[in-house]
Structures are given as structure tokens and as C-alpha cells.
Amino acid sequence: MTIGLKGSIGASSTLGGEWESMQWDLFLAQVRRLQMRIAKAIREEQPGKARALQWLLTHSHAAKMLAVKRVTENKGARTPGMDNEVWKTGRQKMAAITRLCRRGYQPQPLRRIYLKKKNGKLRPLSIPTMLDRAHQALHMLALQPVAESRADWNSYGFREGRCCADAIGQCFIALAKKASPEWVLEGDIKSCFDEISHAWLLENIPMDRRILGQWLQAGFMEGGRLFPTTAGTPQGGIASPLLANLTLDGLEAVIRGAINPRRDKVNFIRYADDFIVTAARPEILQEQVKPVLVRFLSERGLRLSEEKTTLTHIQKGFNFACVSMGPNSLSLPRGKVSTACWRKPGNSSAVATGTTRPCSLDGSTRFCGVGLITTATWFPNASLGGSIICCAGCFGAGRAERIRINPSAGSKDATSARTNTGGSRSGVRIGKASCD
């Protein structure tokens, strides 16, 4: 029985209902089981076994179902590629699963559009077809456990369970203490996605090389003309963020191998292609760290952006992951936390909500990621009608918690943990800040 994507000739009327009634938890469990086995094979240095498991995963029905589900439910689900095809109905989605085959697969050229950046420049965006996106999502399910096993410890961009808030929290951990480093190298890779070496990717990315080579060399259409792609991964493809992470993984280990991290107070934090490196003295960053960065990136066809890579003292502040950080003025990432709290020195009952300010502890203003107090504390506050407000951590691990209780009524938020009306407690986790 043949099922068309643009028409439903020969298709059963129950296909749409089958898609809606799928048991996605079972599919996810099957895929997770294979992903765990792939990660275990990588840790045990068994690349042959890992490749065999990746083959099983990319040919499994459960993985194909999840791949089609991803491309039909994300923000770009209604954006077509060169073939002007989108999958909207259950019949079309079920039919798409039968097309996710390695044999006879040939990616189509990408549709090129441009987005305007804040500085007035244009960012090229290449959009694959729905079928190509589904193939990328399928193979990324098999590549993800490899990427997570090899990832840098302080890499936070495009990783499951991590977001921008985690990177900002790590900045606070590295820079908030009195003995913390005072110099920061703000690094930015110039046109990272557009200049990654194809030869390096084909040699070092552990996936089906024929499929990867076809993606990289598919070209793009602009103004009715076909242009070849000789370097880079297209911004707009599902595979691009993971391929970029695999390209940059290992940077932290190379930097730590070139210096003494404890003596030189060197910390490395990366979010996508934006990163910072801290040190006790500027000479360490300029003479030891930067040459290592340049050499590491040049092997992958990349280079630092001269206009965005700067050496900054912490007193002047710096920008990282769209957040301005410094000793006195710190901004909260938009949409991360609904309420932050601030405590005046020597007065635990004076709490102002709905604002973000530097922490004031022991009478001195200290560097703080988002202006939260450094421990989870319970505050009685008569001005708020007997409410108690709790904050935990300075955005550590991307968490910001809040609770409000009315002791007289004995009620509390549905998201809160067990509470009391006095004293103090630390480490209370109530909610997790989400990342846009």
C-alpha cells in the first residue's frame, strides 16, 4: 500500500489516528536504552561496538518515530525547504517514516535566507527539507551519546539538561570569591558554523561518513542558482549544533594541559562558540592560553574573531552569553527567573522581591551572578502579610527558587517543599529556572 505525502490516495483512514495514539514513552525508552549502550561502549573504548549500536539505532522504528516527531513539532515545523513540503497531518507523518532509509537517500540543496543581526550584518540561514531534517534528527540520536561522553566539563551550549543559566552560574562560581582570578579573556570564534573544515569533520566525527559527506556537500540555492559548500555546517540544520560541539570539545583539556590551573587560577567556560578563560595575570592569557587556542582552532579550520576577543579586568566587567557581568552591575538573563530576592546587611527580615541587585553580605557588595543571596534562608516578613520568602543559591546550576507561605492559613505554593516558620535552611530546591 503506497502512502503519498501530498495526497492520501491508497492511505488508510486510521493512519492519522494511529499517530496521535502512539505510546511515545515506550519509543523514548527504547532509544534511551540503545543510547546508554553506545555511551558505555565509548567509555570502554570500544569504537566498533559503538558503531554497531549506532547502526541499530538509526535503523530502529522507535528512533524514526522520534525523529519525525521532533521535526514536525519544533519551531521550524511549518518552514519548508526547497521542495516546499511540510508534514502536517498524521498520515503525512506516518508516511515520512517509511522514507527514512539509507539506501537511495540523497539530500537536496538548502534554501538560503538571511537574518539581520544587531550590528547590522546579515546572518546566513540555510534551511533543509523536511526529509533531510528528519534524517539529521535520526542520526543525531545516535551521535548524541558520543558527544556527551566526549564533551568538555564546562561546555553548556546545545546540550540536553544544560542551558545559558548554567553557564552564568559557573561564571559566579569561578569569579565570586575574594581569591578568584581578576583577568578574563573573552573569546569568540569568527563564523564558527560557516568555517569548520569538512575534512576534519569527515575524519573525526564518529558517524556514517557517506551520510555526513552528503549533508556537508549538498550546497544551497539562492536566486535560482546552486552554490557549492566547501566548509562549515549550515545554520538552520538540526545536526549543526551537535557537530559544532564535537568540533570544539577538547578545548578545555588543551588549555588546562598548557598551564597550571590551580596556581594560575585558570577557568574555562563555553556556551556554543562563545567562551571565557580566566587567569590571575594577563600575561598567562596572552602568552600561554591564546597561542594554544589559535593552534587548536586552526586545526579545525577556525580562527578567533579579533574584534570580539578581548582581554578584560573583572572590575571593568564583561559580556558573556548575552549577560553583562561585573562587580557592581549585573543583569539577569531575560525570562530565566521570575523573582529574585535581596537582603540588606544585618537585617534578615528586610527582603525586596521582583528585582535583581548585587548581593550585600557582611556590609560589602560582592560579585553575584543574578543578585540572589548565597544560601537558602527563611525570612519572616510582616510587611508581606506574614509571608516567608526563600531564595537559594546565586544562580548556581541554573536554579533559582522561591516560596511564599502564609503561616496563619497554613497554605503554601504547590511547587514548594516542606517548610517551617523560623530558622534557616540551606540547599532547598523548589523549582528550576527555565532557559529560552
Short mmCIF file of all heavy atoms in Angstrom, two decimals, residues 377-401:
data_model
loop_
_atom_site.label_atom_id
_atom_site.label_comp_id
_atom_site.label_asym_id
_atom_site.label_seq_id
_atom_site.Cartn_x
_atom_site.Cartn_y
_atom_site.Cartn_z
N THR A 377 17.46 30.73 52.79
CA THR A 377 17.12 31.22 54.12
C THR A 377 15.64 31.52 54.20
O THR A 377 15.04 31.97 53.23
CB THR A 377 17.92 32.50 54.45
OG1 THR A 377 19.30 32.25 54.21
CG2 THR A 377 17.73 32.90 55.90
N TRP A 378 15.07 31.28 55.37
CA TRP A 378 13.66 31.56 55.58
C TRP A 378 13.52 32.92 56.25
O TRP A 378 14.14 33.18 57.26
CB TRP A 378 13.03 30.48 56.46
CG TRP A 378 13.18 29.13 55.87
CD1 TRP A 378 14.16 28.24 56.11
CD2 TRP A 378 12.34 28.53 54.90
NE1 TRP A 378 14.00 27.10 55.38
CE2 TRP A 378 12.88 27.26 54.61
CE3 TRP A 378 11.17 28.93 54.24
CZ2 TRP A 378 12.30 26.40 53.71
CZ3 TRP A 378 10.61 28.06 53.34
CH2 TRP A 378 11.16 26.82 53.08
N PHE A 379 12.72 33.80 55.68
CA PHE A 379 12.59 35.18 56.16
C PHE A 379 11.17 35.45 56.64
O PHE A 379 10.23 35.46 55.83
CB PHE A 379 12.90 36.18 55.05
CG PHE A 379 14.32 36.12 54.57
CD1 PHE A 379 14.63 35.48 53.39
CD2 PHE A 379 15.32 36.69 55.31
CE1 PHE A 379 15.92 35.42 52.95
CE2 PHE A 379 16.63 36.63 54.87
CZ PHE A 379 16.93 35.99 53.69
N PRO A 380 10.94 35.72 57.93
CA PRO A 380 9.64 36.25 58.36
C PRO A 380 9.55 37.71 57.95
O PRO A 380 10.50 38.46 58.10
CB PRO A 380 9.68 36.10 59.88
CG PRO A 380 11.13 36.11 60.22
CD PRO A 380 11.86 35.49 59.06
N ASN A 381 8.45 38.11 57.38
CA ASN A 381 8.33 39.48 56.89
C ASN A 381 6.90 39.96 57.12
O ASN A 381 5.97 39.57 56.42
CB ASN A 381 8.67 39.54 55.40
CG ASN A 381 8.88 40.97 54.93
OD1 ASN A 381 8.15 41.87 55.33
ND2 ASN A 381 9.89 41.18 54.10
N ALA A 382 6.74 40.83 58.12
CA ALA A 382 5.40 41.29 58.47
C ALA A 382 4.80 42.17 57.39
O ALA A 382 3.59 42.22 57.20
CB ALA A 382 5.46 42.07 59.80
N SER A 383 5.65 42.89 56.65
CA SER A 383 5.13 43.80 55.63
C SER A 383 4.49 43.06 54.47
O SER A 383 3.74 43.64 53.70
CB SER A 383 6.26 44.69 55.10
OG SER A 383 7.25 43.89 54.45
N LEU A 384 4.78 41.78 54.34
CA LEU A 384 4.18 40.98 53.27
C LEU A 384 3.04 40.13 53.80
O LEU A 384 2.69 39.11 53.22
CB LEU A 384 5.24 40.09 52.62
CG LEU A 384 6.34 40.82 51.85
CD1 LEU A 384 7.35 39.83 51.32
CD2 LEU A 384 5.76 41.63 50.71
N GLY A 385 2.47 40.53 54.93
CA GLY A 385 1.32 39.82 55.46
C GLY A 385 1.65 38.46 56.02
O GLY A 385 0.89 37.51 55.86
N GLY A 386 2.80 38.37 56.70
CA GLY A 386 3.17 37.10 57.31
C GLY A 386 3.80 36.11 56.36
O GLY A 386 3.94 34.94 56.69
N SER A 387 4.18 36.58 55.15
CA SER A 387 4.76 35.66 54.18
C SER A 387 6.20 35.34 54.52
O SER A 387 6.89 36.08 55.21
CB SER A 387 4.71 36.28 52.77
OG SER A 387 3.38 36.47 52.38
N ILE A 388 6.65 34.23 54.01
CA ILE A 388 8.05 33.84 54.11
C ILE A 388 8.55 33.60 52.69
O ILE A 388 7.93 32.87 51.92
CB ILE A 388 8.22 32.55 54.94
CG1 ILE A 388 7.75 32.79 56.37
CG2 ILE A 388 9.67 32.10 54.93
CD1 ILE A 388 7.80 31.55 57.22
N ILE A 389 9.65 34.23 52.36
CA ILE A 389 10.21 34.10 51.02
C ILE A 389 11.55 33.41 51.11
O ILE A 389 12.37 33.75 51.95
CB ILE A 389 10.36 35.47 50.35
CG1 ILE A 389 8.99 36.14 50.27
CG2 ILE A 389 10.96 35.33 48.96
CD1 ILE A 389 9.04 37.52 49.72
N CYS A 390 11.79 32.44 50.24
CA CYS A 390 13.03 31.68 50.27
C CYS A 390 13.73 31.79 48.93
O CYS A 390 13.10 31.62 47.90
CB CYS A 390 12.73 30.21 50.58
SG CYS A 390 14.15 29.13 50.36
N CYS A 391 15.00 32.09 48.97
CA CYS A 391 15.82 32.06 47.76
C CYS A 391 16.99 31.13 48.00
O CYS A 391 17.48 31.05 49.10
CB CYS A 391 16.35 33.44 47.40
SG CYS A 391 15.07 34.54 46.80
N ALA A 392 17.44 30.46 46.96
CA ALA A 392 18.57 29.55 47.13
C ALA A 392 19.59 29.79 46.05
O ALA A 392 19.25 29.84 44.88
CB ALA A 392 18.09 28.10 47.08
N GLY A 393 20.84 29.96 46.46
CA GLY A 393 21.96 29.99 45.53
C GLY A 393 22.03 31.24 44.69
O GLY A 393 21.07 31.96 44.53
N CYS A 394 23.20 31.57 44.21
CA CYS A 394 23.40 32.67 43.27
C CYS A 394 23.36 32.11 41.86
O CYS A 394 24.38 32.04 41.18
CB CYS A 394 24.70 33.40 43.55
SG CYS A 394 24.64 34.41 45.03
N PHE A 395 22.22 31.63 41.47
CA PHE A 395 22.02 31.04 40.13
C PHE A 395 22.90 29.82 39.92
O PHE A 395 23.27 29.50 38.80
CB PHE A 395 22.32 32.08 39.05
CG PHE A 395 21.25 32.09 37.98
CD1 PHE A 395 19.95 31.81 38.31
CD2 PHE A 395 21.56 32.37 36.68
CE1 PHE A 395 18.97 31.83 37.35
CE2 PHE A 395 20.59 32.39 35.71
CZ PHE A 395 19.30 32.13 36.05
N GLY A 396 23.31 29.19 41.00
CA GLY A 396 24.14 28.00 40.86
C GLY A 396 23.40 26.91 40.13
O GLY A 396 22.27 26.60 40.44
N ALA A 397 24.05 26.32 39.16
CA ALA A 397 23.48 25.24 38.33
C ALA A 397 22.17 25.65 37.68
O ALA A 397 21.33 24.83 37.37
CB ALA A 397 23.27 23.98 39.16
N GLY A 398 21.99 26.95 37.47
CA GLY A 398 20.80 27.41 36.77
C GLY A 398 19.54 27.38 37.58
O GLY A 398 18.45 27.46 37.04
N ARG A 399 19.65 27.25 38.92
CA ARG A 399 18.45 27.14 39.73
C ARG A 399 18.20 28.44 40.47
O ARG A 399 19.10 29.08 40.98
CB ARG A 399 18.59 26.00 40.74
CG ARG A 399 18.72 24.64 40.09
CD ARG A 399 18.77 23.57 41.16
NE ARG A 399 18.91 22.26 40.56
CZ ARG A 399 20.08 21.72 40.29
NH1 ARG A 399 21.19 22.36 40.57
NH2 ARG A 399 20.15 20.52 39.74
N ALA A 400 16.98 28.84 40.55
CA ALA A 400 16.58 29.97 41.37
C ALA A 400 15.24 29.61 41.98
O ALA A 400 14.28 29.31 41.28
CB ALA A 400 16.45 31.23 40.53
N GLU A 401 15.18 29.57 43.31
CA GLU A 401 14.00 29.07 43.98
C GLU A 401 13.29 30.15 44.79
O GLU A 401 13.91 31.07 45.29
CB GLU A 401 14.37 27.90 44.88
CG GLU A 401 14.75 26.67 44.12
CD GLU A 401 16.25 26.44 44.08
OE1 GLU A 401 16.92 26.87 45.01
OE2 GLU A 401 16.72 25.87 43.10
#
